Amino acid sequence: MAFDKVEELQAVVLAAGASSPLEELISTPKSLLSVGRYPLIYYPLKWLQNNGFRRVLLVVSESTHQEISVAVSATSEIDIEIDYVTVPDDDDFGTADSIRTLHNKQKLHSDLLIIPCDIICDLNLQDVANVFRIHDASLAAVYHKTMSNENVIPGTKTKKQHDREIIGLEPVSNRLILSTSEADIDEYLEIRRYLLTRYPRISLRASLEDCHIYLLKKWVLDYLLADPNIGTVRSELIPKLIKKQHQSRSIDFELSNGRFAPSEQGHHADTDHLNRIAAEDNLDVLAREMSFFTDHNGDMEDPYFGNSIRCFAYVAPDESTCLRVKSVASFCEVNRQASKILQQLHPAKPGETKQTLSQIYTSANVHGKALVGQDSLIGEMTKIGEKVSVKRSVIGRNCTIGERSKITMSVIMDDVVIGEGCHIQGSIICSQAHIKLNAELKDCLVGQGYEVSEGSKFANDTLTDEDRLIEI
């Protein structure tokens, strides 16, 4: 089914202002970082196309519009109508401001599907949309199991930050009851009394990651327009919706019946305006109240406790792919899985057998005695010398790999020259870098155009022109 045939959902891809995990190494915009054999922006567009979308609003910054447009046009496999919307190059211009810009340019007319430019996903969007439809939700957010940290992260070692998100779900319906950051918790997690009364069972999850894929009701846009202080969708709008949902519509009844303690009543004063914007059609409310439907057990309360704002989570299956390229670790991981991901994004057409994508471009020159693993990708016009070994790695276009070199679990970008006898493991080599004879790199980041001297050895280092390096 094509969602936009009936204009049920409008797809919005946010590709402006996203900082790159490799911004200190290479000047390429995040959306154009190479993953496998395509720029990163290819993956959300291809995913939308596979799920039946034929039109998409692509939000880009003024400085990257031309570059992104050329890159997308060069990808013949993207057969989707793209409406580019430019926003200013301003660090203070947030994602919520981008949504307001879409409104001001009269681009929005239905419920929204908002996704980031850095998502690589194979989910069936119908499953996510069904959660949104069944509960007539204000928000449906996609969560996926957090990426394993077993693999070594290349570059200089840094202290781990506690940035996990902790969410509370109603176990049966997956209603999103609460959301908070681990960094915001001092000693213990506080849960308000009225939430525990309504939801005696709350499943607290710290192993799920917000994929930044949101289905939002059209009225949420009205709320954004009414409150210009909301700057970002993820950090400000979503937490506010999750918090305010429990106070929506039935608030007057709750207060008049003393259901909230005096200390809690002040939290509802600013909810009235949101209630008016989110008010449901009286006929819909009456139909639900007269039916036998309920989303919870153990009491005689109305469905959804009478809330007009309802937030739900779709938890992606563990076997699915749903990764965001937001860090060096995730950039490495998606490239290690690039061969598998590309197979998933190119399903067989009806009546055809599953497509097998070539791991080596026909224009690449691979020596007959070179060994290239099935889980590696070789770019066009790249030369692979005799007795070279490539395993679980991605090598870009126009690269030269010298004889007897070994490359394992690494990302080699475009126009890189690697001399003979080099050993490269778990590293990212940015474009136009030159690795000279017999150099050894383990878990390193090499910046754009950097030259690694002959016979040098580095481990867990970040190599850029600004660094003064000591060979070991």
Side-chain angles (χ1 to χ4, degrees):
M1 173 187 172
F3 284 94
D4 54 356
K5 280 184 179 179
V6 293
E7 299 183 337
E8 177 189 4
L9 289 172
Q10 280 185 279
V12 177
V13 179
L14 299 176
S19 60
S20 168
L22 304 179
E23 61 187 356
E24 296 180 1
L25 303 172
I26 190 169
S27 58
T28 304
K30 182 177 187 178
S31 57
L32 296 181
L33 287 177
S34 182
V35 174
R37 57 180 53 160
Y38 298 104
L40 184 53
I41 189 63
Y42 164 86
Y43 293 89
L45 295 177
K46 180 65 174 175
W47 179 50
L48 290 171
Q49 180 176 307
N50 288 349
N51 278 277
F53 283 89
R54 292 294 173 262
R55 292 185 292 274
V56 62
L57 295 167
L58 180 53
V59 181
V60 296
S61 64
E62 293 172 347
S63 62
T64 61
H65 178 200
Q66 182 65 23
E67 196 174 358
I68 292 174
S69 177
V70 170
V72 172
S73 299
T75 308
S76 58
E77 297 170 21
I78 298 297
D79 183 23
I80 189 170
E81 181 185 333
I82 300 175
D83 187 355
Y84 291 92
V85 180
T86 59
V87 296
D89 290 281
D90 184 349
D91 291 339
D92 294 329
F93 199 87
T95 50
D97 297 312
S98 295
I99 302 300
R100 293 188 190 96
T101 299
L102 292 174
H103 168 78
N104 294 337
K105 295 186 178 183
Q106 299 181 341
K107 301 290 186 180
L108 303 179
H109 49 73
S110 62
D111 295 341
L112 303 179
L113 167 63
I114 299 177
I115 65 176
C117 69
D118 59 6
I119 191 71
I120 297 179
C121 191
D122 66 352
L123 293 177
N124 185 345
L125 268 173
Q126 289 286 357
D127 295 336
V128 186
N130 285 340
V131 173
F132 189 65
R133 295 167 179 145
I134 290 170
H135 299 288
D136 195 19
S138 308
L139 161 71
V142 176
Y143 288 84
H144 192 269
K145 187 176 180 181
T146 304
M147 186 184 70
S148 171
N149 292 323
E150 295 177 0
N151 295 320
V152 177
I153 302 174
T156 307
K157 296 299 182 185
T158 57
K159 187 176 180 180
K160 269 189 178 180
Q161 295 182 342
H162 297 286
D163 58 354
R164 291 187 304 173
E165 180 181 4
I166 298 175
I167 63 173
L169 301 177
E170 196 284 318
V172 177
S173 66
N174 270 359
R175 184 162 184 176
L176 190 50
I177 300 170
L178 60 90
S179 172
T180 188
S181 170
E182 182 180 15
D184 294 334
I185 300 175
D186 294 327
E187 297 181 7
Y188 52 87
L189 175 64
E190 293 185 0
I191 302 178
R192 293 191 172 279
R193 184 177 60 189
Y194 71 90
L195 286 181
L196 292 174
T197 301
R198 287 182 170 183
Y199 305 101
R201 293 190 303 153
I202 299 178
S203 175
L204 294 177
R205 307 286 296 272
S207 60
L208 295 177
E209 183 176 8
D210 186 345
C211 299
H212 292 212
I213 300 173
Y214 306 119
L215 276 69
L216 291 169
K217 282 289 189 184
K218 176 67 165 56
W219 67 257
V220 177
L221 173 61
D222 299 328
Y223 182 56
L224 281 178
L225 295 173
D227 189 352
N229 294 320
I230 298 177
T232 64
V233 173
R234 173 63 192 92
S235 301
E236 298 177 49
L237 175 62
I238 301 302
K240 182 164 287 191
L241 290 177
I242 294 172
K243 179 179 179 181
K244 298 298 183 183
Q245 65 175 324
H246 306 296
Q247 305 158 6
S248 59
R249 184 175 174 270
S250 57
I251 183 67
D252 293 335
F253 173 80
E254 300 282 12
L255 288 173
S256 63
N257 285 276
R259 296 285 291 274
F260 295 117
S263 60
E264 297 171 338
Q265 293 183 16
H267 293 281
H268 308 294
D270 59 345
T271 309
D272 293 339
H273 181 60
L274 183 56
N275 282 342
R276 288 192 294 272
I277 295 176
E280 295 182 282
D281 182 82
N282 290 334
L283 189 59
D284 290 339
V285 175
L286 180 61
R288 189 163 57 241
E289 290 176 349
M290 295 182 66
S291 73
F292 290 102
F293 170 79
T294 182
D295 66 312
H296 57 275
N297 299 315
D299 58 49
M300 298 297 292
E301 294 277 5
D302 291 338
Y304 309 113
F305 300 99
N307 299 146
S308 59
I309 305 173
R310 297 184 286 275
C311 302
F312 286 84
Y314 174 83
V315 181
D318 288 349
E319 64 273 12
S320 64
T321 298
C322 203
L323 297 171
R324 286 191 62 225
V325 183
K326 62 177 184 175
S327 63
V328 171
S330 56
F331 178 76
C332 290
E333 186 60 29
V334 296
N335 274 286
R336 288 166 185 156
Q337 298 184 29
S339 181
K340 182 187 75 171
I341 290 169
L342 287 173
Q343 293 290 349
Q344 293 169 339
L345 286 175
H346 293 78
K349 296 179 181 178
E352 296 181 359
T353 57
K354 184 172 180 60
Q355 299 183 49
T356 301
L357 296 177
S358 174
Q359 66 181 119
I360 302 174
Y361 266 100
T362 54
S363 60
N365 184 359
V366 180
H367 195 282
K369 292 186 178 180
L371 175 63
V372 179
Q374 292 294 321
D375 47 8
S376 297
L377 296 172
I378 309 298
E380 54 189 334
M381 304 301 293
T382 286
K383 297 178 181 179
I384 307 291
E386 183 179 2
K387 295 183 180 179
V388 168
S389 173
V390 181
K391 298 179 180 178
R392 289 198 71 188
S393 297
V394 174
I395 299 179
R397 58 175 68 91
N398 299 317
C399 294
T400 300
I401 313 298
E403 297 178 1
R404 302 184 311 281
S405 290
K406 295 182 179 179
I407 301 174
T408 306
M409 297 182 70
S410 296
V411 179
I412 314 298
M413 296 187 185
D414 299 342
D415 304 305
V416 170
V417 176
I418 297 177
E420 297 180 6
C422 293
H423 289 192
I424 299 176
Q425 177 181 341
S427 299
I428 298 176
I429 314 298
C430 293
S431 58
Q432 302 171 4
H434 187 182
I435 316 299
K436 294 191 173 181
L437 301 176
N438 300 315
E440 295 185 14
L441 301 175
K442 182 179 180 182
D443 303 322
C444 289
L445 299 174
V446 179
Q448 184 175 12
Y450 189 83
E451 186 176 286
V452 177
S453 58
E454 180 178 342
S456 58
K457 298 180 180 180
F458 293 97
N460 299 112
D461 259 315
T462 300
L463 312 180
T464 65
D465 286 333
E466 289 75 24
D467 291 330
R468 294 184 178 180
L469 305 169
I470 301 177
E471 294 184 4
I472 58 174

